[in-house]
Amino acid sequence: MSVMNGDGAPHRAEEQNGGGDPEHSDEGNEQEVIVIQDTGFTVKIQAPGTEPFDLQVSPQEMVQEIHQVLMDREDTCHRTCFSLQLEGNVLDNFAELKSIEGLQEGSLLKVVEEPYTVREARIHVRHIRDLLKSLDPSDSYNGVDCNSLSFLSVFTEGDLGENGKRKKKGSELEQIDCTPPEHILPGSKDRPLVPLQPQNKDWKPLQCLKILTMSGWNPPPGNRKMHGDLMYLYMVTVEERHVSITASTRGFYLNQSTTYTFNPKPANPSFLSHSLVELLSQISPAFKKNFSTIQKKRVQRHPFERIATPFQVYSWTAPQVDHAMDCVRAEDAYTSRLGYEEHIPGQTRDWNEELQTTRELPRKNLPERLLRERAIFKVHSDFAAAATRGSMAVIDGNVMAINPGEETRMQMFIWNNIFFSLGFDVRDHYLELGGDSAAHAAPTNDLNGVRAYGAVDVDGLYTLGTVVVDYRGYRITAQSIIPGILEREQEQSVIYGSIDFGKTVVSHPKYLELLEKTSRPLKVQRHPVLDDKSEAVELCSSVECKGIIGNDGRHYILDLLRTFPPDLNFLPVEGEELPEESRRQGFPRQHRHRLACLRQELIEAFVEHRYLLFMKMAALQLMQQKANKESKATAALTENGGPQAATLENKGEGGDATATTNGSAPPSPMATENGACESPESSEADLKSREVVQNACKAVGSISNTSFDIRFNPDIFSPGVRFPEGSSEDIQKQKQLLKDAAAFLVSCQIPSLVKDCLDHNALPMDGATLTEALHQRGINVRYLGTVLDFISKTPARTQLDHIYRIGIYELITRSAKHFFKTYLQGVELSGLSAAVSHFLNCFLSSFTDAVAHLPADELVSKRKNRRRRNRVPGGGGGDNTAWASLTPTELWRSIVSEASSYYHFTLHCETVDQAVEKYGLQKTTLLREISIKAGIQILIKDYNFDSRHKPAFTEEDILNIFPVVKHVNPKASDAFHFFQSGQAKVQQGFLKEGCELINEALNLFNNVYGAMHVELCACLRLLARLNYIMGDYSEALSNQQKAVLMSERVLGIEHPNTIQEYMHLALYCFANGQLSTALKLLYRARYLMLQVCGEDHPEMALLDSNIGLVLHGVMEFDLSLRFLENALAINSKYHGARSLKVALSHHLVARVYESKAEFRSALQHEKEGYTIYKNQVGEAHEKTRESSEYLKYLTQQAVALQRTMNEIYKNGSSASIMPLKFTAPTMASVLEQLNIINGIIFIPLSQKDLENLKAEVQRRQQLQEAMKSEEQQEEESPLELEHKLTAEQERQSAPTGAEVLEQQASA
């Protein structure tokens, strides 16, 4: 649904996500960039009781969207049951505006009230309740209906955009109070939790009604139904008036019923009104006043604060919220809307059908692709929400199992057309693979497989909708249901793959044909295996992957847990030895289960690495040949005997006629025909080059001899899988590849991650961002211990302190989570809050004697044993108080042993305080990490972890347990390509073109994802940065404000990305002259960063430099120095004392000392900076010259000051004092420094420079183009090949000349 701004103003279009169907393009130019522009027009709307108003609409919108606008506008929001009429004709809700005859610029649409039905009456009551609750954050705290928190408006005091001009006055300097709270200052050890959620004054609830519920007299008896009664409501107004209301077909009126007597006759007066709001406004003055106040505030809020997010975001902290009566919530809870959504015709949704039909939509041109991607995304987010709701219902025991006779661990469930199973090894299915541990790992592996096949997106090959949910210690897999699968036995339906891990195997030509298409992108090799009759069967996936044709005739694949090859570092195989690099690090290691796979990112990186190797080897050999040849042959030969590098099709080999480099263009079929000339020498050269390619192929382990092509056989080392005799050579090759890949992870990927951290290209701030950094490089989290060991052996160990510390946090909290999972499974529902608080006390509290308070049973019953055998998975059973005997010592012992056995890392600590002491941790961070990982929501208050006399947590502090959900994230491919080409343009210095492309990407993302999504966030951030660089400060501010709001809503209020968005916004606020707002935002960012990772982090230096500069600008010199000197210390630690960043830090500190007239200190710092510049960039560099000028100036000032002082001493009060020049910095100079530290550098260029630059960039582009076309022909002489390789290396090392050097300090 598109989101409209309530006031129907022209700028509605930007929030309105491109409106209805994105079919706005001429089919003619599909291949070109289709700019989706709405040529909008204006219509007049006349609603009962209001003045006609103008509304801008686009021809692609549906009539329904005008309905939504009216239901959102302040003056018409209380209407839900109406039709729109044009000259007396009712418009069809689902018609596009362009298809309506006579609708044009200036047409008048009338809003006509329609009679109610029961459904319409319910929708009306629901809508009114939503309007009453529109400012109430409780849905965000409870994590329902895709609501989430946002606090930006508390710091900007409302919307920045509208009144961006409000604080431009010079008088602003006087009123700023710049002193931050004590806990934000550098060096403070206090980490209070309460400021995490500042008080939003809009949330003080305005009461419009005391109670609004369904009456107990529902449903109306037959005789009243025939009078048009639909349902009865019961209300208590703020003035304590109790009223009964009838909803009838004509509207709402007061009846004469009371709580105990039924009298449906209309009261006198009955106040019959078409809308409930009109009725209540007549009988309750307080309602009238407060309702209009709430609607005014609601419409003023930024739309991004109200739009639903695509996937639910949960908050790990919440205040104590009063629980109020709410008829809609109560009704929802009881009918549980069992997948029966009010607004969808025809009861439950057939998820499988929806997921698969959206995939089948056409995708020939851009509008079709957008429509398809939008549909896929929408269904996925709905499915994820339904699956999450169902999983919670299953564990809470609200769903009946389909096999109720079996024990609880074996039960399976169906709810809302979704199939649920628990992550236990039920039928010893995973016995050989590691039992329950394997059963717990399989669902996430399977999900990764579904993600990979979904991304390849082959027509005709279908996967199941899959969501993995961790809730209350259980892992639930939710899947859509293949039509017909429940009616037949699995053995009959599987026509491809194996149901018993490779003992019996079947194959099917159609599946082979479909999977063959995925073979190259996923690097899966087609291979034969032996079935139970020892006959060879061809497969193009792992044996567990099953193919089933559903009753709908679609080809489904499921059980994709082995899509990617095994990780030999964690899979000891007898008789196989790993390469030296792995053995040195102590691999192979025993793992919990045998399902450890390499990540897709690793496979990609490995293949790319091998490709470079391949090219290097080929080039080397060719150069040697050339050297030999040149001594005896003429130059003429080198022209035609090119090496056809990767394409010689030796058709006799394996019939593999189309092999090319993985991911490069297909070879030109001409290569072999015209490459060979008549002359005998040339064919000799041809043979030679063939040999070269063959040698190179062999060396890098390519599966084809004539071209570079690496694929993996996922069944190698699978227990129970046997291969035919004939393929033994191939199998050896594959085994070697797997060993090489495992060694590549340890010897290349881990060091490159650590190097990226040293160079600050990777800047993780918390567990989630660290995990992301590992995953991007294909490193699984089980290597965390190895990474930490590697860091501790790195020479520049102190420059990696922050990474090491985050790694330790992650290690401890993950080990604790593993323990917590099994701990929770033994707790029954009534003891949950006591058990969780006891666990947290054992984990974090210094109180050594953490005794669990068994829930003083609120309802003590003498006859304890009459409980029948409890059948709920989450209900427990047996002795449920085992958890209470846990002690802190025992828990920490478990954590240390888990870290050692799972991560192979030795933690040197026995209590939480030792851990904090030894590794420099902070308990708030541990609390945040464990809460997020385990789905715990705690009361927001300041906890005293360090008390030795009482535990930190009581059971009242545990508010909720949330699910942790993993699902597929469908991508908007076209939008992403636009975004990437936009980035590329910006890097080449074409800012305007880049800006246009990114705007276009934003449009397309909006079309696919709706208004809220992580990728839109990245888009907006980049756009804001471009606006800023191009001098459009207010536009930058508006875009960055959206980016911050979106990041808070989609990622969380204290996610590292959100912190960075706050920093960018502060810069743009400062540039717009909103100094106090800029400071508030920076302080907020610093507070969040302290909570998330503490003060000792390189990013903190950037933040403190920003704060120090702004404070310097508002003449708070002493405060400014505290921040700048802290930044200097952190920069020196993480960048080394001789880095240019440190020189800049010295300069900033010197400037503040100069402003304070403490010239000696200023000189000292500037000298330090000067020395660094001189050593690093030389005397002649402009930075060194600037620094030496500044030193001269400081020396003059210092001398002048000294003279004056001497004068005073000598002559006493009669001294003639020279006035001293004290410089308060200008805003422009502060802004200039802010730009520099934030990595935004403006280079003043003359027109001539610009022309030269453009020409240079174009020349480079042509070069690249030429190189690309050469690659496609793949027919260069050895000389050209060598050139190409050197050019390629130069291109990678040389920065592109650009108008703007945008070193994303933060990206």
Side-chain angles (χ1 to χ4, degrees):
M1 175 40 226
S2 47
V3 180
M4 320 295 194
N5 248 358
D7 50 0
H11 68 264
R12 202 189 96 224
E14 68 180 52
E15 256 85 29
Q16 196 221 316
N17 320 339
D21 296 27
E23 309 241 292
H24 329 339
S25 75
D26 318 338
E27 305 289 53
N29 56 359
E30 304 143 8
Q31 299 321 315
E32 296 157 34
V33 178
I34 299 174
V35 181
I36 299 207
Q37 285 303 344
D38 295 352
T39 45
F41 57 95
T42 311
V43 292
K44 272 198 170 350
I45 306 263
Q46 162 87 65
T50 59
E51 293 295 308
F53 58 88
D54 289 341
L55 181 70
Q56 187 149 15
V57 292
S58 89
Q60 283 73 27
E61 277 177 41
M62 292 193 193
V63 176
Q64 189 182 7
E65 293 180 40
I66 300 183
H67 273 253
Q68 291 290 351
V69 178
L70 295 176
M71 282 162 64
D72 203 53
R73 266 180 71 95
E74 192 185 340
D75 51 0
T76 55
C77 64
H78 54 276
R79 303 184 180 284
T80 59
C81 185
F82 58 86
S83 61
L84 289 169
Q85 300 191 358
L86 175 63
E87 295 163 8
N89 300 323
V90 178
L91 305 185
D92 167 20
N93 254 348
F94 294 101
E96 288 191 358
L97 298 186
K98 60 183 177 203
S99 65
I100 295 167
E101 274 182 48
L103 184 63
Q104 65 217 26
E105 179 73 36
S107 295
L108 179 70
L109 291 178
K110 282 205 167 135
V111 174
V112 181
E113 298 174 342
E114 294 288 332
Y116 283 97
T117 59
V118 175
R119 178 172 178 271
E120 285 290 350
R122 280 186 169 204
I123 288 176
H124 186 76
V125 173
R126 195 178 211 113
H127 180 67
I128 300 305
R129 168 267 200 172
D130 286 345
L131 291 175
L132 293 175
K133 280 185 58 176
S134 54
L135 298 178
D136 172 16
S138 56
D139 277 354
S140 302
Y141 292 127
N142 297 328
V144 292
D145 292 342
C146 288
N147 288 313
S148 56
L149 298 166
S150 160
F151 290 104
L152 177 63
S153 56
V154 179
F155 301 98
T156 56
E157 288 160 12
D159 192 356
L160 285 169
E162 319 266 302
N163 29 19
K165 332 233 166 359
R166 59 193 173 157
K167 292 189 180 166
K168 285 285 175 64
K169 304 290 164 284
S171 64
E172 196 202 10
L173 286 182
E174 283 77 85
Q175 307 138 15
I176 303 182
D177 173 25
C178 304
T179 336
E182 201 54 39
H183 61 259
I184 292 180
L185 289 172
S188 161
K189 287 279 168 273
D190 192 20
R191 300 278 182 270
L193 252 189
V194 174
L196 185 60
Q197 299 195 2
Q199 284 303 302
N200 190 335
K201 48 184 185 301
D202 279 354
W203 290 354
K204 295 277 179 293
L206 276 173
Q207 220 183 8
C208 295
L209 281 176
K210 286 207 165 158
I211 294 180
L212 153 65
T213 68
M214 296 294 171
S215 154
W217 297 117
N218 280 319
N223 62 332
R224 289 306 306 170
K225 234 168 142 172
M226 298 165 78
H227 280 87
D229 292 9
L230 300 170
M231 61 183 182
Y232 305 118
L233 304 168
Y234 170 69
M235 312 242 175
V236 180
T237 66
V238 180
E239 297 86 357
E240 278 298 328
R241 180 173 172 193
H242 296 242
V243 291
S244 275
I245 294 178
T246 300
S248 74
T249 49
R250 292 171 50 205
F252 297 81
Y253 61 83
L254 300 188
N255 62 35
Q256 297 176 33
S257 300
T258 63
T259 319
Y260 303 113
T261 56
F262 178 59
N263 181 356
K265 297 271 187 289
N268 191 10
S270 73
F271 298 115
L272 172 67
S273 317
H274 191 264
S275 148
L276 200 49
V277 172
E278 289 167 359
L279 168 69
L280 290 168
S281 300
Q282 290 176 56
I283 61 173
S284 160
F287 177 89
K288 186 172 183 174
K289 176 167 160 263
N290 291 349
F291 184 78
S292 78
T293 315
I294 287 183
Q295 295 325 310
K296 276 202 176 55
K297 281 190 174 168
R298 177 180 68 88
V299 176
Q300 281 162 4
R301 287 173 70 193
H302 195 286
F304 283 7
E305 292 181 60
R306 322 183 264 155
I307 303 168
T309 58
F311 300 103
Q312 185 64 58
V313 178
Y314 299 100
S315 164
W316 66 278
T317 52
Q320 199 67 57
V321 184
D322 295 333
H323 193 61
M325 250 190 187
D326 179 340
C327 61
V328 178
R329 187 188 60 220
E331 186 189 18
D332 282 355
Y334 285 121
T335 53
S336 158
R337 299 215 301 249
L338 252 165
Y340 146 67
E341 318 283 344
E342 273 281 78
H343 318 293
I344 291 174
Q347 311 293 319
T348 51
R349 293 175 69 169
D350 182 345
W351 292 109
N352 190 64
E353 191 52 35
E354 287 192 39
L355 286 160
Q356 313 309 351
T357 30
T358 49
R359 284 232 174 259
E360 288 165 350
L361 291 171
R363 44 173 159 176
K364 288 193 284 297
N365 52 31
L366 185 65
E368 285 185 351
R369 281 196 299 275
L370 287 176
L371 200 59
R372 173 176 185 264
E373 283 173 348
R374 179 199 207 155
I376 291 175
F377 183 74
K378 183 78 184 94
V379 175
H380 263 97
S381 64
D382 289 356
F383 178 69
T388 308
R389 219 164 61 210
S391 305
M392 292 168 73
V394 163
I395 295 302
D396 291 338
N398 306 335
V399 181
M400 177 84 174
I402 50 178
N403 49 346
E406 317 236 6
E407 63 157 317
T408 39
R409 296 166 47 116
M410 301 179 70
Q411 291 179 349
M412 291 171 280
F413 306 82
I414 287 182
W415 177 92
N416 188 358
N417 277 327
I418 306 174
F419 174 78
F420 298 91
S421 52
L422 300 171
F424 294 117
D425 183 16
V426 282
R427 299 199 165 74
D428 287 344
H429 191 60
Y430 292 106
L431 192 59
E432 293 182 358
L433 297 169
D436 277 349
S437 299
H440 191 264
T444 42
N445 275 7
D446 184 35
L447 182 66
N448 287 336
V450 170
R451 196 175 283 139
Y453 277 102
V456 177
D457 211 358
V458 169
D459 267 337
L461 190 63
Y462 297 90
T463 54
L464 303 183
T466 307
V467 174
V468 178
V469 179
D470 289 300
Y471 178 61
R472 282 181 51 191
Y474 294 91
R475 171 158 282 183
I476 308 101
T477 311
Q479 290 171 311
S480 61
I481 301 170
I482 298 179
I485 183 123
L486 298 168
E487 290 109 66
R488 35 188 187 175
E489 283 297 308
Q490 202 175 14
E491 287 80 23
Q492 305 160 9
S493 37
V494 172
I495 58 165
Y496 172 88
S498 163
I499 54 170
D500 46 17
F501 290 100
K503 294 184 187 62
T504 51
V505 192
V506 286
S507 187
H508 189 279
K510 179 68 180 164
Y511 271 103
L512 283 175
E513 174 200 328
L514 288 168
L515 287 166
E516 187 68 60
K517 294 178 189 162
T518 65
S519 152
R520 164 152 297 141
L522 297 180
K523 323 274 185 277
V524 177
Q525 188 193 5
R526 183 167 170 166
H527 59 278
V529 300
L530 294 177
D531 64 5
D532 48 346
K533 304 185 190 62
S534 293
E535 289 169 9
V537 176
E538 281 280 317
L539 292 180
C540 195
S541 64
S542 68
V543 284
E544 299 79 14
C545 167
K546 304 173 191 37
I548 296 181
I549 298 185
N551 283 0
D552 50 4
R554 294 189 179 107
H555 292 74
Y556 292 92
I557 48 170
L558 53 156
D559 288 353
L560 307 172
L561 54 143
R562 283 247 177 102
T563 303
F564 298 110
D567 179 354
L568 294 192
N569 287 332
F570 283 93
L571 188 71
V573 181
E574 279 182 28
E576 297 288 347
E577 193 166 82
L578 287 181
E580 171 61 23
E581 301 96 330
S582 288
R583 292 206 307 277
R584 247 202 320 265
Q585 307 261 2
F587 292 108
R589 294 181 174 155
Q590 201 61 49
H591 198 50
R592 295 272 155 88
H593 54 78
R594 301 179 59 103
L595 290 179
C597 290
L598 297 171
R599 294 185 63 85
Q600 188 173 11
E601 297 92 338
L602 184 89
I603 302 291
E604 305 274 330
F606 176 69
V607 170
E608 191 163 317
H609 171 77
R610 281 287 158 109
Y611 179 57
L612 286 174
L613 205 66
F614 171 80
M615 293 299 273
K616 275 191 192 129
M617 295 177 80
L620 255 170
Q621 291 186 3
L622 288 165
M623 280 158 69
Q624 284 165 1
Q625 277 191 22
K626 188 173 142 228
N628 301 343
K629 213 184 286 178
E630 277 190 345
S631 52
K632 56 187 175 185
T634 57
L637 289 182
T638 43
E639 294 304 306
N640 44 22
Q644 289 128 38
T647 62
L648 287 176
E649 295 314 352
N650 186 337
K651 298 249 170 30
E653 265 312 311
D656 189 355
T658 54
T660 53
T661 60
N662 283 7
S664 82
S668 67
M670 299 294 285
T672 32
E673 283 90 29
N674 58 15
C677 286
E678 301 314 300
S679 69
E681 296 95 330
S682 121
S683 60
E684 176 195 338
D686 203 31
L687 279 170
K688 282 252 175 67
S689 53
R690 230 177 250 209
E691 196 181 305
V692 166
V693 173
Q694 270 180 7
N695 293 344
C697 281
K698 205 180 205 134
V700 297
S702 164
I703 57 171
S704 145
N705 289 338
T706 54
S707 69
F708 175 83
D709 190 359
I710 287 189
R711 305 185 199 192
F712 293 88
N713 175 345
D715 285 330
I716 305 274
F717 299 126
S718 292
V721 176
R722 300 172 304 144
F723 299 101
E725 291 295 307
S727 58
S728 56
E729 185 191 336
D730 201 30
I731 300 301
Q732 275 322 110
K733 237 191 207 181
Q734 282 294 336
K735 285 184 176 175
Q736 194 50 49
L737 260 185
L738 283 180
K739 291 175 190 174
D740 293 348
F744 171 74
L745 196 157
V746 182
S747 62
C748 284
Q749 293 306 83
I750 291 181
S752 90
L753 167 77
V754 174
K755 184 177 180 308
D756 281 346
C757 292
L758 266 177
D759 302 343
H760 303 284
N761 291 336
L763 263 184
M765 258 190 234
D766 67 344
T769 40
L770 176 67
T771 307
E772 204 176 303
L774 288 168
H775 284 172
Q776 276 169 358
R777 292 160 184 79
I779 306 168
N780 311 69
V781 177
R782 58 175 172 269
Y783 285 96
L784 190 55
T786 315
V787 173
L788 290 176
D789 284 335
F790 187 87
I791 290 177
S792 50
K793 294 188 188 107
T794 308
R797 164 74 181 79
T798 46
Q799 293 187 23
L800 290 165
D801 264 1
H802 60 301
I803 305 289
Y804 192 76
R805 190 177 317 108
I806 295 168
I808 294 285
Y809 276 129
E810 191 66 352
L811 201 80
I812 291 178
T813 45
R814 277 178 183 260
S815 302
K817 180 190 76 173
H818 293 176
F819 178 90
F820 184 61
K821 198 176 66 202
T822 41
Y823 169 87
L824 264 195
Q825 289 177 8
V827 180
E828 62 175 22
L829 201 46
S830 60
L832 262 180
S833 53
V836 175
S837 64
H838 177 58
F839 173 83
L840 289 176
N841 281 328
C842 293
F843 183 43
L844 294 172
S845 187
S846 305
F847 179 57
T848 44
D849 191 19
V851 183
H853 300 288
L854 278 174
D857 201 344
E858 295 170 19
L859 316 158
V860 181
S861 118
K862 291 286 172 284
R863 309 208 310 283
K864 252 299 164 53
N865 293 339
R866 52 184 192 175
R867 250 186 321 170
R868 55 194 177 76
R869 193 165 134 235
N870 200 337
R871 271 264 166 77
V872 182
D879 171 24
N880 291 124
T881 53
W883 57 266
S885 57
L886 180 70
T887 64
T889 329
E890 189 192 334
L891 173 62
W892 275 90
R893 207 176 289 134
S894 308
I895 289 175
V896 171
S897 85
E898 179 70 11
S900 153
S901 69
Y902 194 91
Y903 297 106
H904 303 277
F905 186 82
T906 315
L907 283 171
H908 301 284
C909 53
E910 287 162 22
T911 63
V912 64
D913 293 320
Q914 285 179 12
V916 166
E917 187 57 37
K918 173 145 179 47
Y919 298 108
L921 312 178
Q922 41 182 37
K923 289 186 179 178
T924 40
T925 306
L926 281 169
L927 175 62
R928 172 178 180 263
E929 293 283 355
I930 189 76
S931 302
I932 290 173
K933 288 182 177 59
I936 304 169
Q937 187 184 50
I938 58 164
L939 180 65
I940 188 160
K941 67 174 200 188
D942 293 332
Y943 291 95
N944 179 6
F945 298 111
D946 299 331
S947 158
R948 303 226 168 263
H949 310 296
K950 62 182 218 294
F953 298 90
T954 67
E955 53 183 290
E956 297 306 312
D957 296 330
I958 310 298
L959 299 183
N960 211 338
I961 287 198
F962 289 129
V964 177
V965 186
K966 300 181 178 70
H967 52 80
V968 177
N969 273 314
K971 289 275 175 272
S973 51
D974 286 293
F976 191 61
H977 293 319
F978 273 103
F979 183 59
Q980 280 181 316
S981 28
Q983 279 178 312
K985 278 269 184 260
V986 170
Q987 274 154 7
Q988 295 166 356
F990 297 110
L991 295 196
K992 252 200 157 33
E993 293 91 325
C995 209
E996 280 164 15
L997 281 166
I998 285 167
N999 257 318
E1000 191 48 48
L1002 190 64
N1003 243 331
L1004 302 182
F1005 276 137
N1006 245 332
N1007 249 304
V1008 175
Y1009 296 139
M1012 279 272 144
H1013 196 272
V1014 192
E1015 288 178 21
L1016 273 143
C1017 204
C1019 229
L1020 284 163
R1021 177 202 306 159
L1022 186 52
L1023 208 50
R1025 207 173 170 97
L1026 288 174
N1027 295 138
Y1028 181 71
I1029 289 170
M1030 284 155 55
D1032 189 346
Y1033 292 168
S1034 58
E1035 190 59 22
L1037 192 59
S1038 145
N1039 278 326
Q1040 187 59 32
Q1041 181 188 8
K1042 289 181 194 165
V1044 176
L1045 283 170
M1046 202 176 292
S1047 186
E1048 287 194 306
R1049 295 282 321 279
V1050 182
L1051 292 168
I1053 53 173
E1054 81 293 334
H1055 189 278
N1057 278 40
T1058 309
I1059 299 176
Q1060 300 209 316
E1061 304 296 4
Y1062 264 100
M1063 284 164 65
H1064 295 317
L1065 185 62
L1067 172 65
Y1068 308 151
C1069 274
F1070 187 89
N1072 273 294
Q1074 303 184 14
L1075 307 194
S1076 63
T1077 308
L1079 256 181
K1080 279 187 206 154
L1081 295 170
L1082 287 168
Y1083 285 154
R1084 171 68 172 171
R1086 190 171 210 276
Y1087 167 76
L1088 292 174
M1089 199 151 158
L1090 288 172
Q1091 289 295 343
V1092 168
C1093 63
E1095 200 162 54
D1096 185 17
H1097 191 283
E1099 198 67 354
M1100 192 55 99
L1102 176 62
L1103 185 47
D1104 282 354
S1105 306
N1106 274 304
I1107 296 176
L1109 273 168
V1110 176
L1111 287 168
H1112 187 193
V1114 296
M1115 320 224 322
E1116 288 275 348
F1117 302 135
D1118 294 334
L1119 209 47
S1120 170
L1121 272 178
R1122 288 185 69 169
F1123 286 102
L1124 288 175
E1125 288 182 326
N1126 190 48
L1128 174 61
I1130 295 177
N1131 270 335
S1132 310
K1133 171 175 177 181
Y1134 284 109
H1135 293 273
R1138 309 255 58 86
S1139 120
L1140 295 177
K1141 268 198 173 22
V1142 177
L1144 183 57
S1145 266
H1146 277 301
H1147 174 65
L1148 297 180
V1149 174
R1151 286 179 36 157
V1152 184
Y1153 275 124
E1154 178 212 343
S1155 297
K1156 287 181 68 179
E1158 294 181 21
F1159 295 113
R1160 184 166 291 148
S1161 307
L1163 273 165
Q1164 206 178 331
H1165 278 288
E1166 192 55 44
K1167 269 184 195 140
E1168 292 276 337
Y1170 174 72
T1171 321
I1172 296 176
Y1173 281 133
K1174 198 170 87 181
N1175 296 339
Q1176 296 286 349
V1177 293
E1179 294 270 3
H1181 194 276
E1182 64 170 325
K1183 281 283 176 205
T1184 322
R1185 290 208 304 270
E1186 271 172 27
S1187 182
S1188 90
E1189 288 295 311
Y1190 187 56
L1191 274 172
K1192 279 185 203 143
Y1193 167 75
L1194 285 176
T1195 317
Q1196 287 164 7
Q1197 290 288 327
V1199 170
L1201 179 68
Q1202 198 54 47
R1203 246 188 233 131
T1204 313
M1205 295 311 254
N1206 295 348
E1207 180 85 5
I1208 294 174
Y1209 286 136
K1210 206 164 68 196
N1211 299 346
S1213 54
S1214 64
S1216 62
I1217 302 175
M1218 282 281 296
L1220 272 175
K1221 294 204 296 269
F1222 281 141
T1223 50
T1226 61
M1227 284 305 141
S1229 74
V1230 174
L1231 189 58
E1232 185 188 347
Q1233 295 296 335
L1234 277 172
N1235 288 335
I1236 292 174
I1237 60 171
N1238 287 298
I1240 297 174
I1241 302 177
F1242 297 89
I1243 303 177
L1245 293 177
S1246 66
Q1247 201 48 43
K1248 189 164 158 233
D1249 293 342
L1250 270 177
E1251 296 307 319
N1252 297 348
L1253 247 177
K1254 285 256 163 73
E1256 166 65 10
V1257 174
Q1258 274 167 346
R1259 194 177 64 75
R1260 292 198 173 209
Q1261 272 182 321
Q1262 281 159 0
L1263 239 165
Q1264 284 170 24
E1265 293 298 314
M1267 272 157 50
K1268 277 200 192 111
S1269 60
E1270 278 173 14
E1271 273 174 36
Q1272 276 154 13
Q1273 290 170 0
E1274 295 280 11
E1275 266 206 278
E1276 314 111 20
S1277 67
L1279 204 77
E1280 282 170 13
L1281 189 69
E1282 174 195 344
H1283 273 319
K1284 178 174 146 186
L1285 283 164
T1286 47
E1288 190 64 14
Q1289 283 150 9
E1290 275 168 22
R1291 189 169 63 89
Q1292 280 163 3
S1293 59
T1296 44
E1299 256 166 275
V1300 177
L1301 301 176
E1302 222 209 308
Q1303 305 127 347
Q1304 267 279 41
S1306 55

